[in-house]
Structures are given as structure tokens and as C-alpha cells.
């Protein structure tokens, strides 16, 4: 049986992963409204990935005999300003998620919950990738500045992202 504090932390993280998915889907809709379908596609794939993260925690909790309790998901913003600001928000959000995962790791360590520590290794590696891919887009947007031609080329490049 899983420790109840670890169970609560995982339930909260399920909600957080759904919020991430919701936030990126909202960003995707914003890009669609600006007719940048490549940025929109990238964010939609990111949104789908977050659903996978939520379900990974969901399945893990059930495997451990825990009880999944779904919390309400906060409404995300619908306006995101310039693309650079928006992707800086993605990066900032992923850094926050990394902190959340690290906190669950510390909690599980304090409870000698080795199974949860092993499960979290996947997420710790995943967060390295999440931060890296958001950082890459931020750096490319900094180079593009407000040049419409450069933004269109980047939009086309991002449309090629495949789901992992
Ligand atoms: Mg995630």
C-alpha cells in the first residue's frame, strides 16, 4: 500500500499534468487564431504528451493500490502576446513542473518509497527533454525577433515535430 502523503502528491500531480495539457491546448488555439498552424501543431502535440504524463501517474497509483481522486483543473489564459513571450511561458512552466517532480521525489525518499523513486526516474529524464525543447524554440524566436519571414520559416519547421 502506498503512503498516503505520496498518494496525495501523485493525485495533485495528475491534476498538474492535466493543467499543463490544458494550458498548451489553449496556446495552440491562440496560435490557430493567428494563423500560425506550425506553432499550433507543436503545442497540440505537447498538450497530448501531457495527457500521457497524467495517465502514467494515474496507472502507477492504481498499480500501487492507491486511490485516484481527480481535482478540478484551473482555467488557462487565452491570450499570450508575442510568440517569444508565449514560449518563455512554456519554458517557465516546464521549469516549475521539474520542481514539482523533484518535490515528489524528495517526499518519496523521505518515506523510503523506492518504487515511486524508480517510477519518477522516467519523469526526471523527461523534464530534461521538456526544458530542452522549449529552450530551443525560445532561442530560435529570439533570433527571429519580429521578422515575419523568419517567423513563417520557424512555423513551418515546428509543424514537422513528431509525437514522442
Ligand atoms: Mg508533463
Amino acid at each position: 500500500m502506498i503512503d498516503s502523503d505520496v498518494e496525495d502528491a501523485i493525485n495533485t500531480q495528475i491534476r498538474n499534468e492535466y493543467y499543463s495539457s490544458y494550458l498548451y491546448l489553449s496556446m495552440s488555439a491562440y496560435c490557430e487564431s493567428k494563423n500560425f498552424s506550425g506553432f499550433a501543431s507543436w503545442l497540440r502535440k505537447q498538450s497530448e504528451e501531457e495527457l500521457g504524463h497524467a495517465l502514467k501517474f494515474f496507472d502507477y497509483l492504481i498499480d500501487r493500490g492507491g486511490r485516484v481522486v481527480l481535482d478540478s483543473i484551473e482555467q488557462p489564459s487565452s491570450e499570450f502576446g508575442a510568440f517569444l513571450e508565449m514560449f518563455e511561458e512554456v519554458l517557465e512552466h516546464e521549469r516549475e513542473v521539474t520542481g514539482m517532480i523533484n518535490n515528489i521525489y524528495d517526499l518519496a525518499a523521505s518515506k523510503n518509497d523506492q518504487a515511486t523513486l524508480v517510477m519518477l526516474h522516467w519523469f526526471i529524464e523527461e523534464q530534461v527533454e521538456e526544458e530542452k525543447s522549449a529552450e530551443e524554440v525560445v532561442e530560435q524566436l529570439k533570433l527571429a525577433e519580429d521578422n515575419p519571414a523568419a517567423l513563417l520559416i520557424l512555423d513551418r519547421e515546428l509543424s514537422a515535430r513528431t509525437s514522442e
Side-chain angles (χ1 to χ4, degrees):
M1 196 68 184
I2 194 161
D3 175 89
S4 68
D5 289 340
V6 176
E7 181 182 62
D8 288 348
I10 291 175
N11 271 316
T12 299
Q13 194 57 27
I14 290 171
R15 192 268 319 273
N16 293 340
E17 299 292 344
Y18 270 101
Y19 175 74
S20 297
S21 177
Y22 227 36
L23 174 66
Y24 296 148
L25 195 60
S26 185
M27 287 176 170
S28 179
Y30 175 79
C31 294
E32 293 285 8
S33 78
K34 304 278 181 198
N35 295 311
F36 277 85
S37 60
F39 288 107
S41 162
W42 192 96
L43 285 157
R44 186 176 173 132
K45 282 168 190 153
Q46 187 64 31
S47 171
E48 285 165 5
E49 251 190 55
E50 301 302 341
L51 293 180
H53 295 169
L55 291 174
K56 220 174 168 73
F57 280 117
F58 179 100
D59 289 338
Y60 174 74
L61 202 46
I62 288 170
D63 286 349
R64 289 291 309 282
R67 174 84 162 89
V68 170
V69 179
L70 297 178
D71 203 347
S72 54
I73 306 165
E74 194 190 327
Q75 181 181 19
S77 175
S78 57
E79 294 294 332
F80 298 96
F83 290 130
L84 175 58
E85 287 170 41
M86 188 180 68
F87 275 91
E88 278 173 339
E89 191 177 332
V90 172
L91 178 57
E92 189 50 41
H93 183 72
E94 285 305 325
R95 285 176 176 157
E96 281 173 26
V97 172
T98 300
M100 293 169 187
I101 302 283
N102 290 344
N103 287 341
I104 304 172
Y105 193 91
D106 291 344
L107 175 67
S110 76
K111 306 280 184 178
N112 291 319
D113 182 350
Q114 283 83 1
T116 297
L117 294 178
V118 169
M119 180 275 293
L120 287 171
H121 284 166
W122 184 91
F123 281 96
I124 289 166
E125 285 178 354
E126 178 69 7
Q127 283 310 117
V128 173
E129 285 305 310
E130 298 285 45
E131 288 190 30
K132 182 181 150 211
S133 57
E135 235 161 42
E136 275 171 4
V137 181
V138 166
E139 290 309 314
Q140 286 170 328
L141 280 167
K142 279 182 184 165
L143 289 174
E145 290 184 340
D146 291 327
N147 180 338
L151 281 179
L152 285 171
I153 291 169
L154 186 54
D155 185 63
R156 203 174 310 156
E157 268 181 28
L158 292 185
S159 72
R161 174 185 175 167
T162 52
S163 295
E164 290 118 45

